[in-house]
Amino acid sequence: MSFARSFRLSGTGAPQLATLAVILFANWLVFPEFFDLRMQDGRLFGSLIDVLNRGAPVAILAIGMTLVIATKGVDLSVGAIMAICGAVAATMASDGYSLPVILIAALAVGLVCGLWNGLLVAVLDIQPIIATLILMVTGRGIAQLITEGQIVTFTHQGLIAIAGSSFLGLPMPVVIAVVLGVAAAALVRLTALGLLVESIGVNRTASTYAGVDSRSVLITAYVVSGLCAAVAGIIAASDIRGADANNAGLWLELDAILAVVVGGTSLFGGRFSILLSLVGAMVIQAMNTGILLSGYPPELNLIVKAVVIVVILVVQSPVAGRLTTFFRRR
Amino acid sequence: MTDDRSTAHAATSGAPAGPGDHRSGADDAPLLEIRGLSKSFPGVRALDGVDFRLHAGEVHALLGENGAGKSTLIKVLTGVHARDGGEIRLGGVPIDAADTADAQRLGIGTVYQEVNLLPNLSVADNLYLGREPTRFGLRSARRTAAMARELLAGYGLSIDVTANLGDYSVAVQQIVAIARAVDLSGKVLVLDEPTASLDAGEVQTLFGIVRRLTARGIGVVFVTHFLDQVFALCDRATVLRNGRLVGERRIAELGRLELVTMMLGRELEAAQLHRRRGEGPKGEAFLAFEGFGRHAYVNPFDLEIRPSEVTGVAGLLGSGRTETAKLLFGIKEADAGSATADGAPLRLASPRAAVAAGFAFCPEDRKTEGIVGDLSVRENIMLALQARRGWLNPLSRGESKALADRFIKALDIRTPDAEKPIRLLSGGNQQKALLARWLATEPRFLILDEPTRGIDVGAHAEIIRLIERLCDEGLALLVISSEIDEIVAYSDRVLVLRDRAHVGMIEGADVTVDRIVGAIAAEGPATAAGVPA
Amino acid sequence: MSTRKLLLGAVFSCALSFAGAAAAADMTIGFSQIGSESGWRAAETSVSKIEAEKRGIDLKIADAQQKQENQIKAIRSFIAQGVDAIFVAPVVATGWDDVLGEAKDAEIPVVLLDRTIDTKDDSLYLTAVTSDTVHEGAVAGEWLAKEVAGKDCNVVELQGTVGSSPAINRKKGFDEAIASHSNIKLIRSQTGDFTRTKGKEVMESFIKAEGGGKNICAVYAHNDDMQIGAIQAIKEAGLKPGTDILMVSIDAVPDIFKAMADGEANATVELTPNMAGPAFDAVAAFKADGTVPPKWIQTESKLYLPDTAQAEYEARKDLGY
Ligand SMILES: Nc1ncnc2c1ncn2[C@@H]1O[C@H](COP(=O)(O)OP(=O)(O)OP(=O)(O)O)[C@@H](O)[C@H]1O
Ligand SMILES: [Mg+2]
């Protein structure tokens, strides 16, 4: 089985990679030192590293979100799950638990959250947008209960190392995102999970009639999403050495959805590519970092972002594809 | 304009079918003339310089094997696809419809092969979408509903027009699509396999309506695989093969065999079309259903399934045929009775459980319950097998490729390669791929709901031969069909349904068209021997 | 949790120096709180309870979960219960006239906490206790001007959420304070959305954009949380916050005191969560002898420096920020 299949859909993922290249080029225009790298305390240091490092949580969310969207669903609760898992990790860290215990607990909580979403969607047949909205709204409340309304800070060296250490000069979150992305892509493509997910996303009725265990597959997708959110939540907490129940992961579900869409997976479900979603996440973060480096007044942030995204989506849309062939024909 | 159209319809639909000689127009200048039409898709020349002429007042059959290019011709004509080359003239004027709505404005109403209405809108809204009747300039839901009711009454259909279209069966949806298209066709009506899911009575109603339209000078393009219907309704036929024009003939001058030969490019033994299959040895029953049923769905029934046996299922639309199939396959769970396999109790709680027990089911509604449109032919073929193996035990790419190629060859599925998305295949070829999906699981018990729908004569014969071969190898079959001829051709016994109840089982030598029709029509339960005296 | 609460009460009553008016005893006051959307808000709620307890006031708190309709409901029910006074932290500025009119008719004084409302009729409320966010910015700016004492200084600013009134006002106050000091230049200003994560991310980009941080002399953050994020970013870039770069921010949350005690921050301006205390006193005085308080009671914008940081941190660490 060829691993290249992950890249198969939009041909080679060329539009996504081209988009990323264009954005990086634009960043270089507004900030000529954009590609400069140096070593700092054994860690690579530079704007490019910032893009990777800051984009890591969204990239990790996008892994799970890709699977969920491929089933024709959406998971709005990932931001809230980040907050919950970050809160669990931070509270346990400040109470002095060992790192493995903290990680297992936080991941377990993410798993339970994903399972909850999955059950609502797969068993109770609630529309995904509504089902996950429940946790999106209540999740932060739950996180606040855990943190007792405070920003829980910690000095737990083990947990701090999750976001603060580096491997081969790369920040650990980047390493985690890449490892998870490759592992997830391998999981779905080396097993039949990817096919079944796509099949359900395209036509759930027909898939069920073909004997596909749609429920288990759906639940799996939401559980993976919950686990990814847990990892992102741990990284976010580790990064600021604290858990902010109100703001951790706030609106990141939207960035994750956008990353998946930019990565070429349709919101109508079906064909997906996890690795291209990672590229999508990098596109978004490269744009964010570029805006910060540009020195434009912050009032323009959202406008610039919106314009860039509209351009990306229009350029990648099927209509644009048809238009280009149309003009070539004339 | 909206109101004109609907009043015009009201005036004509009530008019009696004139006996006038509407076939005389055939030698005049054509109403619709297509010249040198070409259309290619990646890997296929779907149309290659095709000519087609439709005269006012005629019914013109467009025939050909699955994948010959019939639907493509219609889609290019009505602007769904842009053409690569060629010319289309309507009433002598070159036209170039941009989309279906544009074609409608030009006077071409179309029923596409795949019903493309909106299941989440009401029946009435579907009928009048984009041309709602207005009252004092406002849309009037009440008037829309009243007009819809009246329109459908002309088709012998009295249903709640305010309910969602999706709540009705494929047959009703098809009638609604036809009614809309007929209502919209000012000059030309195009019907792409409109009768595929209709029963005999509904087909007759449709024919009556078509004849009334031709009497008014409207030209009708009629695509079908039912040769009987071609001879009953059509004046001329144009035959396509592999995207090329084979020829145009007057039906009156055409024999059945000649027509089939034109379509297939080879001869097909007449005997192969409907040959009563020979009696083979049947084994012991390995499946038994006792008092099996579901409240308000299908009344409890007893059924035994033996290897190598074909059980035909006959009954009118809505008699519970598809419901029986869905119950047996675990799509709806039975709330009464029991099922046993090889003497052991069997719980059919889901299709998955049924598949695990060696069941297979080709549903009637190909588009929504059968194909997984965006996935490739290969993936569609491997799906059921893969689902049964579980996601942790994947078929390797090589295995699935070999599997798909084997069935593409065995069933003669027309596709440039196994990686083409299945939705881009012609309707009949999609049907064959679905059959392949189930044959790949090597089932013991195969349920086919309208298996030959949309399948060309050649493939039809092949599929029936395939069914026979599978039976000889020990497969048990349950086949639902509206084609009683067909049921008679391959069934060892025929289960007759009426009003969601199993009313009789006709066996052995009693399996004849007359017996079956009699049992369907009879009042009260039929006896085991067949029709009551 | 309960031990924490006990501790919290104990520490706080020691820490707060001014004693409440005893006359307030036996009053019942209803407080329609917005919700608990931020740590500061949670602290405001707990401090209100502590202050009420100190004065023997029966304080009923209704959490509106960010919804005006819930606040209006809560106020109506307070009126029906015949409380002695009503405190409101209004979630929005408009739409209060009717319900406050009802309170006025019932002769129940209303005190606005922390935020004000838009109304033509300012007799609808007794007084408003709020901080002056413009002044907070100014205090920070003045501190910086004094600290650099005429030397050239390039400042980067971490703004609050774009368009929010604290962000606008804190920027305005700071800009005004440094306007007369030509040696102080604001070279970059971006929003950090009042959060640690964003503060850190924005600071990282400032450092890259300003020669690895060498051009930056001071960071002014609209809240401490962003500043804490910025401190981490500066450390990860190999610089020393508080020494290489001056750090001044607003809010006075416990963690910034810790940073100051560690020498990583230089100053913070307090936005006190104790809005209820002055309000209780105003109501008590009004009830006792009809003393009408000023329409606007401004809480103090106190500047804290590292010298008291350790003590302040100890006093506040369990306050619930
Ligand atoms: N949108 C499309 N993209 C690619 N190929 C297509 C598309 N539509 C049709 N084809 C191909 O064009 C050929 C002709 O298809 P068409 O649907 O016209 O056949 P048909 O004569 O209507 O067959 P059937 O009797 O099975 O309905 C087929 O090989 C089909 O796979
Ligand atoms: Mg067709």
Side-chain angles (χ1 to χ4, degrees):
Chain A
M1 172 161 300
S2 98
F3 197 68
R5 216 189 130 199
S6 312
F7 278 115
R8 181 202 50 202
L9 5 143
S10 5
T12 53
Q16 283 75 21
L17 293 171
T19 310
L20 183 60
V22 168
I23 298 229
L24 292 177
F25 179 73
N27 285 356
W28 177 75
L29 287 184
V30 297
F31 182 60
E33 292 104 88
F34 182 77
F35 291 105
D36 291 4
L37 288 179
R38 66 178 161 89
M39 288 303 273
Q40 172 72 49
D41 304 333
R43 196 172 162 156
L44 281 167
F45 182 88
S47 294
L48 207 52
I49 298 299
D50 284 355
V51 171
L52 294 172
N53 194 25
R54 292 290 147 222
V58 169
I60 292 168
L61 292 181
I63 295 170
M65 190 67 80
T66 306
L67 288 185
V68 169
I69 286 181
T71 66
K72 209 179 199 161
V74 67
D75 188 349
L76 296 181
S77 68
V78 290
I81 297 178
M82 276 180 75
I84 297 174
C85 297
V88 169
T91 333
M92 291 180 69
S94 66
D95 289 347
Y97 286 92
S98 73
L99 185 63
V101 176
I102 294 173
L103 295 184
I104 289 170
L107 290 174
V109 170
L111 186 143
V112 169
C113 292
L115 199 59
W116 161 262
N117 285 332
L119 290 176
L120 290 186
V121 172
V123 179
L124 298 187
D125 252 329
I126 300 177
Q127 286 187 8
I129 201 167
I130 303 297
T132 56
L133 191 66
I134 297 172
L135 197 53
M136 177 188 182
V137 174
T138 55
R140 289 191 185 280
I142 296 171
Q144 278 187 352
L145 286 181
I146 298 169
T147 61
E148 294 172 12
Q150 315 182 8
I151 293 181
V152 176
T153 55
F154 53 85
T155 50
H156 189 294
Q157 286 312 313
L159 188 54
I160 288 172
I162 298 281
S165 59
S166 60
F167 180 77
L168 299 178
L170 284 175
M172 198 54 87
V174 181
V175 177
I176 295 174
V178 170
V179 168
L180 280 184
V182 171
L187 174 78
V188 297
R189 295 306 176 194
L190 296 182
T191 70
L193 188 61
L195 171 68
L196 301 186
V197 162
E198 290 177 343
S199 165
I200 288 176
V202 175
N203 190 338
R204 186 170 162 193
T205 311
S207 306
T208 309
Y209 286 11
V212 176
D213 189 354
S214 307
R215 282 190 182 163
S216 310
V217 175
L218 278 174
I219 292 174
T220 306
Y222 285 90
V223 165
V224 170
S225 183
L227 283 173
C228 288
V231 174
I234 294 168
I235 290 176
S238 166
D239 184 43
I240 59 165
R241 296 156 194 218
D244 180 347
N246 288 305
N247 298 308
L250 193 61
W251 307 127
L252 286 199
E253 55 278 349
L254 298 184
D255 277 3
I257 292 169
L258 192 60
V260 173
V261 172
V262 170
T265 300
S266 160
L267 285 177
F268 294 112
R271 296 293 189 201
F272 70 91
S273 162
I274 287 176
L275 297 184
L276 289 183
S277 294
L278 297 189
V279 175
M282 288 307 127
V283 166
I284 294 172
Q285 186 57 42
M287 177 176 69
N288 285 341
T289 304
I291 290 171
L292 294 181
L293 289 169
S294 68
Y296 297 141
E299 288 77 8
L300 292 182
N301 291 4
L302 296 179
I303 299 170
V304 173
K305 219 172 149 173
V307 169
V308 173
I309 287 166
V310 167
V311 170
I312 293 174
L313 295 184
V314 166
V315 167
Q316 291 188 2
S317 77
V319 174
R322 253 180 271 143
L323 272 185
T324 41
T325 39
F326 178 80
F327 282 118
R328 243 180 260 147
R329 226 177 56 201
R330 298 274 142 155
Chain B
M1 125 142 205
T2 309
D3 271 354
D4 298 350
R5 189 63 66 76
S6 43
T7 41
H9 169 77
T12 52
S13 63
D21 182 15
H22 56 273
R23 301 182 181 203
S24 63
D27 299 319
D28 307 334
L31 170 64
L32 176 72
E33 183 166 28
I34 294 176
R35 281 231 189 104
L37 196 63
S38 293
K39 174 71 191 173
S40 291
F41 296 110
V44 253
R45 276 212 90 142
L47 292 175
D48 190 358
V50 171
D51 298 338
F52 178 80
R53 292 181 303 147
L54 174 71
H55 292 276
E58 74 165 348
V59 184
H60 195 130
L62 182 59
L63 305 175
E65 286 177 286
N66 296 131
K70 305 179 295 291
S71 299
T72 305
L73 185 134
I74 287 163
K75 287 182 183 164
V76 172
L77 167 67
T78 55
V80 175
H81 294 314
R83 59 180 180 250
D84 296 345
E87 197 190 27
I88 304 175
R89 287 169 178 271
L90 183 65
V93 187
I95 58 164
D96 190 1
D99 53 30
T100 309
D102 203 16
Q104 283 166 5
R105 274 189 290 278
L106 292 165
I108 307 176
T110 314
V111 177
Y112 294 99
Q113 187 172 7
E114 311 294 348
V115 173
N116 65 339
L117 297 177
L118 304 164
N120 292 328
L121 290 187
S122 74
V123 171
D125 286 342
N126 267 291
L127 282 169
Y128 291 101
L129 194 70
R131 49 185 195 116
E132 292 88 351
T134 52
R135 200 182 163 86
F136 313 122
L138 294 173
R139 222 187 119 207
S140 158
R142 200 143 36 93
R143 245 189 97 198
T144 311
M147 286 173 55
R149 235 172 276 123
E150 194 194 337
L151 185 63
L152 291 181
Y155 293 80
L157 204 61
S158 61
I159 56 170
D160 176 8
V161 295
T162 58
N164 279 354
L165 183 71
D167 297 344
Y168 290 105
S169 69
V170 194
V172 169
Q173 297 189 23
Q174 197 153 42
I175 293 173
V176 171
I178 293 169
R180 177 180 164 94
V182 167
D183 211 25
L184 277 168
S185 50
K187 294 183 182 131
V188 176
L189 172 65
V190 183
L191 301 170
D192 193 353
E193 300 196 32
T195 55
S197 48
L198 303 188
D199 66 20
E202 286 159 337
V203 169
Q204 286 313 314
T205 313
L206 174 65
F207 284 8
I209 286 166
V210 167
R211 291 197 183 100
R212 283 206 297 275
L213 291 174
T214 51
R216 270 169 49 205
I218 290 177
V220 178
V221 181
F222 188 72
V223 180
T224 188
H225 290 293
F226 297 111
L227 298 188
D228 292 345
Q229 296 179 1
V230 174
F231 288 101
L233 183 70
C234 302
D235 305 305
R236 278 168 200 264
T238 291
V239 178
L240 303 180
R241 190 165 66 233
N242 288 332
R244 295 226 179 81
L245 177 68
V246 177
E248 190 203 270
R249 296 280 194 284
R250 276 176 165 281
I251 294 292
E253 299 158 4
L254 193 66
R256 199 182 181 97
L257 221 52
E258 190 189 348
L259 180 59
V260 171
T261 310
M262 278 176 84
M263 286 165 64
L264 303 185
R266 64 191 150 88
E267 289 188 15
L268 190 71
E269 281 174 53
Q272 275 187 353
L273 285 177
H274 286 304
R275 174 168 62 95
R276 178 88 178 100
R277 93 179 247 271
E279 297 284 323
K282 310 282 178 283
E284 282 299 297
F286 64 99
L287 288 175
F289 300 91
E290 272 172 42
F292 205 67
R294 182 183 164 95
H295 181 70
Y297 197 64
V298 178
N299 293 355
F301 60 88
D302 294 343
L303 186 66
E304 287 195 335
I305 302 294
R306 274 179 283 276
S308 295
E309 188 176 51
V310 181
T311 309
V313 178
L316 298 176
L317 274 179
S319 61
R321 301 178 308 187
T322 297
E323 288 79 1
T324 299
K326 289 191 171 174
L327 205 61
L328 291 176
F329 196 62
I331 290 169
K332 288 275 176 170
E333 202 179 343
D335 60 6
S338 66
T340 50
D342 303 317
L346 180 64
R347 189 163 164 249
L348 293 167
S350 66
R352 196 173 155 66
V355 173
F359 289 27
F361 170 55
C362 276
E364 170 185 25
D365 188 348
R366 181 171 59 222
K367 192 174 170 188
T368 63
E369 299 180 341
I371 64 165
V372 182
D374 286 344
L375 295 196
S376 68
V377 176
R378 177 181 60 84
E379 288 164 316
N380 269 279
I381 290 177
M382 73 187 278
L383 187 61
L385 181 58
Q386 183 61 66
R388 194 176 67 191
R389 291 167 63 117
W391 62 273
L392 281 172
N393 185 12
L395 285 162
S396 76
R397 177 104 177 170
E399 284 166 335
S400 67
K401 180 95 178 63
L403 184 79
D405 287 344
R406 180 153 63 82
F407 281 104
I408 287 173
K409 201 151 163 271
L411 300 184
D412 191 23
I413 300 171
R414 302 283 167 87
T415 174
D417 64 83
E419 295 309 319
K420 184 158 174 157
I422 196 169
R423 71 184 149 78
L424 300 181
L425 257 53
S426 79
N429 284 306
Q430 293 177 2
Q431 186 71 24
K432 292 192 210 169
L434 287 183
L435 195 58
R437 173 190 292 172
W438 288 114
L439 295 181
T441 66
E442 297 176 358
R444 300 170 75 190
F445 176 41
L446 174 58
I447 305 167
L448 301 172
D449 195 353
E450 301 286 0
T452 53
R453 161 164 318 157
I455 286 191
D456 69 53
V457 271
H460 194 138
E462 278 165 41
I463 284 181
I464 290 179
R465 231 178 296 137
L466 187 79
I467 288 177
E468 290 177 353
R469 211 185 68 224
L470 292 168
C471 279
D472 293 344
E473 288 167 10
L475 178 71
L477 274 159
L478 186 92
V479 187
I480 299 168
S481 176
S482 307
E483 298 303 294
I484 295 182
D485 288 347
E486 193 184 306
I487 292 188
V488 171
Y490 49 62
S491 302
D492 294 302
R493 52 179 193 161
V494 177
L495 179 64
V496 179
L497 298 185
R498 197 188 315 126
D499 295 335
R500 313 216 155 211
H502 292 204
V503 293
M505 181 69 89
I506 301 171
E507 296 192 60
D510 288 330
V511 177
T512 62
V513 173
D514 291 346
R515 283 284 182 147
I516 297 171
V517 171
I520 290 173
E523 295 292 326
T527 62
V531 232
Chain C
M1 164 103 205
S2 57
T3 45
R4 249 190 210 180
K5 269 222 171 110
L6 272 180
L7 203 84
L8 192 142
V11 167
F12 206 83
S13 29
C14 302
L16 281 174
S17 44
F18 62 100
D26 297 338
M27 281 203 305
T28 300
I29 292 178
F31 177 17
S32 170
Q33 174 63 294
I34 294 180
S36 54
E37 78 281 5
S38 68
W40 185 88
R41 183 72 57 195
E44 184 188 34
T45 306
S46 30
V47 172
S48 305
K49 285 183 201 154
I50 294 163
E51 291 291 310
E53 216 167 294
K54 254 197 318 198
R55 294 170 172 82
I57 293 172
D58 181 9
L59 185 67
K60 297 175 190 265
I61 299 179
D63 183 334
Q65 294 174 329
Q66 335 289 329
K67 292 208 182 78
Q68 186 178 29
E69 72 241 39
N70 290 348
Q71 290 202 299
I72 292 176
K73 260 188 236 152
I75 295 170
R76 294 222 162 98
S77 105
F78 290 144
I79 296 172
Q81 293 167 35
V83 296
D84 297 296
I86 296 173
F87 291 1
V88 189
V91 64
V92 292
T94 54
W96 298 101
D97 290 17
D98 288 351
V99 68
L100 295 192
E102 290 165 32
K104 189 178 169 191
D105 294 343
E107 296 185 352
I108 300 175
V110 172
V111 180
L112 305 179
L113 294 194
D114 164 46
R115 300 181 181 190
T116 54
I117 59 171
D118 288 343
T119 178
K120 289 201 189 69
D121 180 5
D122 68 1
S123 73
L124 287 177
Y125 59 92
L126 180 66
T127 178
V129 183
T130 72
S131 67
D132 180 346
T133 41
V134 178
H135 184 59
E136 288 161 5
V139 171
E142 280 153 15
W143 171 83
L144 184 66
K146 213 166 107 219
E147 185 71 16
V148 298
K151 285 199 295 284
D152 282 346
C153 184
N154 290 335
V155 183
V156 296
E157 180 183 38
L158 295 169
Q159 294 189 26
T161 307
V162 174
S164 70
S165 77
I168 294 168
N169 292 341
R170 285 172 182 177
K171 179 167 183 50
K172 183 165 168 239
F174 186 81
D175 287 349
E176 284 167 3
I178 63 169
S180 53
H181 301 271
S182 57
N183 57 320
I184 300 180
K185 253 186 28 221
L186 194 58
I187 53 170
R188 276 183 184 258
S189 180
Q190 242 310 337
T191 175
D193 278 335
F194 286 128
T195 69
R196 291 186 185 200
T197 311
K198 279 287 172 57
K200 186 171 179 182
E201 178 179 353
V202 173
M203 193 63 213
E204 282 176 354
S205 74
F206 284 170
I207 292 169
K208 307 291 178 327
E210 296 300 335
K214 286 189 274 308
N215 302 341
I216 303 172
C217 136
V219 181
Y220 164 52
H222 288 189
N223 79 348
D224 292 335
D225 280 332
M226 291 191 287
Q227 192 74 315
I228 290 162
I231 289 170
Q232 288 177 14
I234 294 169
K235 287 204 289 197
E236 283 169 18
L239 297 171
K240 288 201 187 63
T243 317
D244 296 338
I245 299 178
L246 295 173
M247 311 294 290
V248 55
S249 52
I250 297 173
D251 269 6
V253 304
D255 283 345
I256 199 75
F257 286 109
K258 186 149 172 292
M260 280 200 279
D262 295 344
E264 293 173 348
N266 306 86
T268 185
V269 181
E270 182 178 43
L271 166 64
T272 178
N274 183 15
M275 302 277 168
F280 288 136
D281 296 341
V283 169
F286 179 69
K287 289 272 174 186
D289 49 21
T291 315
V292 179
K295 265 285 142 197
W296 181 25
I297 301 175
Q298 191 182 333
T299 57
E300 203 183 354
S301 304
K302 193 172 167 206
L303 183 72
Y304 286 92
L305 297 172
D307 50 347
T308 58
Q310 191 62 42
E312 290 293 336
Y313 176 66
E314 294 302 331
R316 292 163 189 256
K317 69 179 174 194
D318 288 309
L319 240 187
Y321 278 84

